[in-house]
Amino acid sequence: MKAWVYKEYGNSRRVLKFETNVEVPSLREDQVLIKVVAAALNPIDFKRMLGAFSATDSPLPTIPGYDVAGVVEKVGSQVKKFKVGDEVYGDINEKALDHPKRNGSLAEYTAVEENLLALKPKNLSFVEAASLPLATETAYEGLERSAFSAGKSILVLGGAGGVGTMVIQLAKHVFGASKVAATSSTAKLDLLKSLGADLAIDYTKENIEDLPEKFDVVFDAVGQCDKALKAVKEGGRVVSIIGSVTPPASSFVLTSDGSMLEKLNPYFESGKVKAIIDPKGPFPFSQTLEAFSHLESSRATGKVVIHPIP
């Protein structure tokens, strides 16, 4: 099969290579083989490629890619939820940093445990579906860990990124936030409002530490824990997904779970929660290196998606 592969750690431009004769991954009893239609990139992909968590990574060579949307080609003997021909999506690595798969989603085929997948929402394209799993599950798990609930207020640092765009929408439309504030650069403020932010803050002009109000929860998607702690109410929660944290803030690493996507499918199907695709994309499979460069620039809006594959 065709796939993007790296055999040593380093910058994507240097180490990631297109190969045409890669072996299709073998199937375990609890897995399905997916014919990949679309895949999304996440910061964890290029950080892994740089060797940022080499101590707990699987051995090289590696096909990168956590997010997938595609069609079930084959099912293992113990698979009960899915059949050949089902359109599915998910984050293929249960533990993000603990021996993630060597055969990721930037390939024609990938093998995934059935419990990590959900049926693709009927009215979503494969591109939209591929953009959702890791970012949505990270947003949802962070909101749950912060004990977020209806009537509470939240500030999202990095509201226009892959995770931030989902935190805004989930907090507002699923959890029932009383107020959602979020930060972005000037050009992206309108996007934040369209997603449900009541207050869109231009981080190039305003300091969140100086805001007159404090928030029940601050979700830090950019690695500014110290600033986040100054914006939270006394007794409130700060949850971070990047960088070092200072107590009482907490951080976590996502555990992928297909049932979380199943729970949210009605919100995707009704349009209450939308997939946000970076306007430069989707990138064709042949332009995967350009897609990584765009993501690595930290200027992407929403998710960077690869489609069609191959």
Side-chain angles (χ1 to χ4, degrees), residues 103-116:
N103 292 296
S105 58
L106 289 177
E108 289 184 82
Y109 296 94
T110 190
V112 191
E113 296 82 345
E114 70 168 337
N115 66 309
L116 305 183

Side-chain angles (χ1 to χ4, degrees), residues 161-193:
V163 173
T165 52
M166 300 315 298
V167 177
I168 293 170
Q169 294 185 85
L170 295 181
K172 190 75 172 181
H173 306 303
V174 178
F175 285 79
S178 62
K179 182 166 192 174
V180 176
T183 66
S184 75
S185 59
T186 316
K188 298 175 182 177
L189 297 173
D190 286 342
L191 170 67
L192 305 189
K193 290 173 189 164

Side-chain angles (χ1 to χ4, degrees), residues 30-88:
D30 63 338
Q31 290 182 325
V32 303
L33 185 70
I34 297 174
K35 172 71 184 78
V36 180
V37 178
L41 305 186
N42 293 281
I44 196 169
D45 289 305
F46 69 77
K47 290 174 183 173
R48 179 188 184 190
M49 205 182 308
L50 288 167
F53 53 97
S54 56
T56 58
D57 200 358
S58 299
L60 297 167
T62 295
I63 299 168
Y66 283 61
D67 281 328
V68 71
V71 180
V72 175
E73 181 95 358
K74 205 182 204 178
V75 297
S77 59
Q78 292 177 5
V79 170
K80 297 186 172 61
K81 275 193 337 192
F82 303 112
K83 62 185 186 304
V84 172
D86 280 347
E87 298 180 347
V88 296

Side-chain angles (χ1 to χ4, degrees), residues 90-96 115-117 133 137 141 253-261:
D91 168 1
I92 70 168
N93 292 308
E94 184 168 13
K95 300 286 186 190
N115 66 309
L116 305 183
L117 298 169
E137 293 176 33
E141 186 172 336
V253 175
L254 171 68
T255 301
S256 172
D257 180 5
S259 66
M260 195 186 292
L261 294 174

Side-chain angles (χ1 to χ4, degrees), residues 230-262:
K230 290 174 182 163
V232 72
K233 285 179 182 174
E234 198 172 327
R237 304 276 185 93
V238 171
V239 64
S240 179
I241 58 166
I242 186 170
S244 55
V245 298
T246 311
S250 63
S251 64
F252 72 98
V253 175
L254 171 68
T255 301
S256 172
D257 180 5
S259 66
M260 195 186 292
L261 294 174
E262 285 170 358

